[in-house]
Amino acid sequence: MKKVLVLGGSRYFGRGVVERLRDAGLDVTVLNRGSSPTPTGVAHLIADRDDEAGLKAVLGSRSFDVVLDQVCYTPVQAGIARRIIRTDRYVMTSTIDVYDQVRADTPMAESLVSRSPVDVRLPWHDADFLEAHYGEGKRQAEAIFADGDVEFASVRVAHVLGGDDFTGRLRHYVERLDAGDVVEIHAEPRPSTFIHADEIADFLAWATRADFAGPVNAGSHGELSALDLAAAVTAEPRFKIVERDASPFSFDRYAVLDTSRATDLGFSFSTTTDWLGEAIENLRKA
């Protein structure tokens, strides 16, 4: 029985990953700040990952076969984890936003992101700075782990829809369009890649149990633009063209993931049209 440590994993698809790992018969420990209860049948450790001394005290002499880090956003957090956590393999949940500096007209492969220079002196503790540099924080965190001596994999997750989505991004489309309001978009919104919350939970559970290293993209087949999302909500969507502060998922650059590596490794993704309509209807019911 493999011993797995999950950092985070208390809400949204992270909770689903913990349940899947538990149901697969793994010995699962969840470490978080204790703000939400963990699923039954898993061990629970309470610590603030930003507190290096506190994290070290809570973990003690524990070691794990694999770590799944759901909540690593900065190189500072990555450095603490790398110094303190004992494991043979480290899997980090990363993001499609690591490609925010890439300009391409074809799906983006993992190799398009080069290893980012690390600067732990930047104000990563500042919430506004972190929000404005989300992709860079993830890139630098990946770089910290990649330079370590433990096998490391990063899962670059597409935009997540469906499930108990606390972000409200798809709800933005449903509520505004159902009310006859407009969706604010760029003049030529470009497509991106999306994935359902249940599917990314499946993928992360699979990736935690698998044996591969390096970055891997995760997303459903079928690219979607803001126009496509609006059309999935209503047959007659209304739009307003803006230069700034567009609605969620309105992109001014092509941002589609190449998921062929994940497919070659053995995971079969769904197609967005398989689940998008149901996700929208579930929001209406909620």
Side-chain angles (χ1 to χ4, degrees), residues 2 66 89 91 151 203-213 265:
K2 279 192 174 182
V66 59
R89 184 167 183 264
V91 180
E151 183 179 82
F203 185 86
L204 287 167
W206 170 84
T208 303
R209 302 191 307 270
D211 182 18
F212 68 90
L265 287 168

Side-chain angles (χ1 to χ4, degrees), residues 120 139 261:
V120 297
R139 281 193 297 273
R261 184 178 188 222

Side-chain angles (χ1 to χ4, degrees), residues 9-223:
S10 62
R11 64 175 181 173
Y12 201 25
F13 62 84
R15 188 176 182 87
V17 178
V18 172
E19 293 169 342
R20 285 159 173 78
L21 293 173
R22 175 202 62 195
D23 294 346
L26 279 69
D27 180 358
V28 182
T29 298
V30 172
L31 187 148
N32 56 34
R33 292 179 294 183
S35 58
S36 301
T38 58
T40 59
V42 303
H44 188 198
L45 299 175
I46 297 177
D48 183 345
R49 68 168 305 153
D50 295 321
D51 177 1
E52 184 165 352
L55 181 63
K56 184 176 182 179
V58 167
L59 287 174
S61 61
R62 292 178 178 86
S63 63
F64 303 90
D65 297 302
V66 59
V67 171
L68 173 61
D69 194 339
Q70 289 278 88
V71 289
C72 186
Y73 304 106
T74 75
V76 176
Q77 292 175 329
I80 291 172
R82 181 176 155 185
R83 288 190 294 271
I84 299 301
I85 301 174
R86 299 182 181 91
T87 185
D88 297 324
R89 184 167 183 264
Y90 207 103
V91 180
M92 173 185 154
T93 301
S94 191
T95 173
I96 188 174
D97 289 317
V98 299
Y99 298 98
D100 60 7
Q101 295 179 342
V102 174
R103 299 295 178 266
D105 293 316
T106 56
M108 302 179 297
E110 293 85 354
S111 59
L112 288 180
V113 174
S114 56
R115 188 168 299 183
S116 187
V118 172
D119 189 350
V120 297
R121 298 167 300 175
L122 294 173
W124 295 112
H125 61 280
D126 181 83
D128 291 336
F129 178 86
L130 181 56
E131 181 178 3
H133 298 83
Y134 178 63
E136 179 61 22
K138 287 285 192 177
R139 281 193 297 273
Q140 291 196 25
E142 285 189 17
I144 290 284
F145 288 120
D147 283 338
D149 54 3
V150 170
E151 183 179 82
F152 172 65
S154 58
V155 178
R156 294 172 177 170
V157 180
H159 304 291
V160 182
L161 302 177
D164 187 18
D165 181 7
F166 63 92
T167 69
R169 293 176 296 179
L170 181 58
R171 185 180 299 111
H172 171 91
Y173 283 78
V174 175
E175 291 181 347
R176 292 179 73 89
L177 293 172
D178 282 358
D181 205 346
V182 299
V183 173
E184 297 174 327
I185 61 170
H186 294 92
E188 296 182 7
R190 305 299 304 279
S192 191
T193 302
F194 297 81
I195 192 167
H196 193 279
D198 289 340
E199 186 165 32
I200 191 55
D202 289 339
F203 185 86
L204 287 167
W206 170 84
T208 303
R209 302 191 307 270
D211 182 18
F212 68 90
V216 61
N217 293 333
S220 298
H221 301 299
E223 57 192 50

